[in-house]
């Protein structure tokens, strides 16, 4: 039932995403493009890649958030806890600030350097956490991520303060968007998103075992250090790939896994795929709202997700403090 509901929601979000907009397109154009060639061109070359990219980014952030929450045993954890998105943002803002263009990459210079920043930050966080605590306890990893995130955030603020004409472009990118990306961005992000999701799926039983504590999981035969590293690396690759193609979009990795657990339980054999599906549906709907709510002006998706996520974050925090969650 959970999968049926989730897939229906995703299908509905996709249909709405490609048919609703400044120009309303009939759903029949999906299976009969020849009925309206102009509408078919808009649908397949503009809206469909945007909807697919939004779905992939939402799915990546949600499944990464589910994995981090399970690993850290904290419903307030999300893909940004480790500072990975800050690293990706620094890479992107640096590219925009200095106008960097790598000849053989062309327009892909921005997402490639952004992903490199995300991966470099993840490696730095893990190396520093291991230096501080060889057992790499989750508290150490979280605090290390916060330290790196705060530092990188100050670097971004410095570049924004120094920038001139690029200010609007940088701010717009940081707020998140999948507008005018096209199929090439889908093709670039897809391999990383599939690999990261598959590696997390392979660790679903380890995540279930670690819900009972690391010592209990070790007694059950789980290689704690290897599983931690695999989950953290996979989640960071997913987050880095998502941020690379869409900018910073917050709260998806927090809201979706929490709602999935609330509705359908904490078994990661189901939490991971259901978070993937519902994360895709949520971000497609948020993107639809962002481009239609004050049409023809378009809002960044990050604004919409923040409006949804901030109250949910406050609600989860309240429940946790009161001992309900």
């Amino acid at each position: 039932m959970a999968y049926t509901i989730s897939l229906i929601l995703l299908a509905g979000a996709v249909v709405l995403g490609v048919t609703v907009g400044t120009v309303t397109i009939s759903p029949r154009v999906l299976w009969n493009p020849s009925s309206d060639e102009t509408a078919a061109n808009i649908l397949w070359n503009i809206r469909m890649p945007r909807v697919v990219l939004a779905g992939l980014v939402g799915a990546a952030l949600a499944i990464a958030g589910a994995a981090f929450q399970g690993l850290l045993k904290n419903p307030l954890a999300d893909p940004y806890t480790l500072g990975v998105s800050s690293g990706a943002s620094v890479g992107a803002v640096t590219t925009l600030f200095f106008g960097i263009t790598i000849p053989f990459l062309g327009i892909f210079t921005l997402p490639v350097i952004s992903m490199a920043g995300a991966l470099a930050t993840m490696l730095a966080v893990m190396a520093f956490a291991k230096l501080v605590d060889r057992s790499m306890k989750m508290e150490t990893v979280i605090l290390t991520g916060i330290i790196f995130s705060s530092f990188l955030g100050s670097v971004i603020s410095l570049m924004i303060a120094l920038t001139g004409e690029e200010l609007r472009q940088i701010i717009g990118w940081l707020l998140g968007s999948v507008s005018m990306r096209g199929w090439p961005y889908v093709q670039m992000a897809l391999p990383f998103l599939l690999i990261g999701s598959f590696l997390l799926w392979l660790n679903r039983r380890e995540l279930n075992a670690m819900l009972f504590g690391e010592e209990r999981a070790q007694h059950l035969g789980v290689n704690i250090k290897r599983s931690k590293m695999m989950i953290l690396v996979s989640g960071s690759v997913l987050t880095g790939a998502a941020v690379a193609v869409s900018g910073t979009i917050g709260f998806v990795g927090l809201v979706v896994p929490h709602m999935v657990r609330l509705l359908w339980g904490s078994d990661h054999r189901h939490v991971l795929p259901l978070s993937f599906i519902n994360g895709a549906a949520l971000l497609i709907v948020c993107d639809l709202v962002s481009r239609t709510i004050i049409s023809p002006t378009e809002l960044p998706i990050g604004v919409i997700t923040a409006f949804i996520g901030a109250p949910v974050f406050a609600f989860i925090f309240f429940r946790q403090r009161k001992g309900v969650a």
Side-chain angles (χ1 to χ4, degrees):
M1 180 62 75
Y3 289 97
T4 302
I5 294 171
S6 299
L7 289 170
I8 290 173
L9 288 174
L10 178 58
V14 170
V15 171
L16 285 173
V18 298
T19 59
V20 177
T22 307
V23 177
T24 302
I25 298 173
S26 172
R28 73 171 182 272
V29 177
L30 276 168
W31 55 83
N32 186 17
S34 60
S35 63
D36 189 335
E37 292 185 2
T38 302
N41 182 56
I42 295 172
L43 191 151
W44 290 106
N45 295 323
I46 298 175
R47 289 189 187 169
M48 187 61 79
R50 179 173 183 154
V51 165
V52 171
L53 188 62
L56 290 175
V57 170
L61 294 175
I63 193 173
F68 284 141
Q69 287 176 15
L71 183 65
L72 305 176
K73 296 184 288 293
N74 188 337
L76 297 176
D78 76 348
Y80 298 87
T81 304
L82 299 179
V84 179
S85 69
S86 296
S89 297
V90 166
V93 172
T94 301
T95 305
L96 296 171
F97 183 76
F98 291 105
I100 299 170
T101 302
I102 300 173
F104 62 90
L105 288 177
I107 62 169
F108 294 105
T109 300
L110 174 62
V112 167
I113 293 180
S114 176
M115 189 175 294
L119 293 173
T121 303
M122 181 271 296
L123 293 173
V125 167
M126 300 305 297
F128 188 79
K130 191 170 185 179
L131 187 67
V132 173
D133 181 1
R134 292 189 65 85
S135 64
M136 290 179 66
K137 291 180 180 177
M138 284 302 105
E139 294 85 352
T140 306
V141 177
I142 291 174
L143 287 173
T144 304
I146 291 170
I147 292 168
F148 274 78
S149 185
S150 299
F151 173 74
L152 294 172
S154 66
V155 172
I156 294 171
S157 297
L158 175 63
M159 284 191 282
I160 289 175
L162 295 175
T163 193
E165 296 178 359
E166 301 89 357
L167 179 62
R168 184 177 178 85
Q169 185 183 7
I170 291 173
I171 295 294
W173 190 90
L174 288 173
L175 290 172
S177 175
V178 290
S179 175
M180 303 306 291
R181 298 296 197 265
W183 290 114
Y185 278 73
V186 174
Q187 294 168 1
M188 184 192 68
L190 186 59
F192 296 99
L193 302 183
L194 291 178
I195 291 169
S197 299
F198 179 68
L199 291 175
L200 288 182
W201 170 250
L202 291 179
N203 285 274
R204 60 196 183 280
R205 291 185 176 86
E206 286 78 2
L207 281 166
N208 280 342
M210 281 189 276
L211 287 176
F212 299 102
E214 293 182 10
E215 289 185 9
R216 180 74 179 274
Q218 200 161 13
H219 291 152
L220 293 171
V222 175
N223 186 326
I224 297 297
K225 287 186 178 180
R226 186 183 67 186
S227 296
K228 277 184 185 177
M229 184 62 72
M230 180 74 76
I231 293 165
L232 290 171
V233 169
S234 302
S236 298
V237 167
L238 284 164
T239 306
V243 171
V245 296
S246 67
T248 306
I249 298 174
F251 293 108
V252 176
L254 172 77
V255 172
V256 176
H258 182 75
M259 298 308 296
V260 167
R261 286 190 174 90
L262 198 63
L263 292 171
W264 296 305
S266 300
D267 187 344
H268 285 91
R269 292 176 300 174
H270 304 300
V271 169
L272 293 177
L274 287 171
S275 294
F276 188 94
I277 297 168
N278 287 285
L282 175 64
L283 204 62
I284 290 170
V285 171
C286 287
D287 179 53
L288 174 62
V289 172
S290 75
R291 60 184 167 86
T292 58
I293 191 169
I294 54 171
S295 180
T297 304
E298 184 174 312
L299 291 173
I301 308 180
V303 173
I304 305 301
T305 58
F307 268 114
I308 298 171
V312 174
F313 186 94
F315 173 70
I316 297 170
F317 182 67
F318 179 79
R319 282 168 55 92
Q320 191 181 44
R321 285 293 182 182
K322 292 294 183 179
V324 178

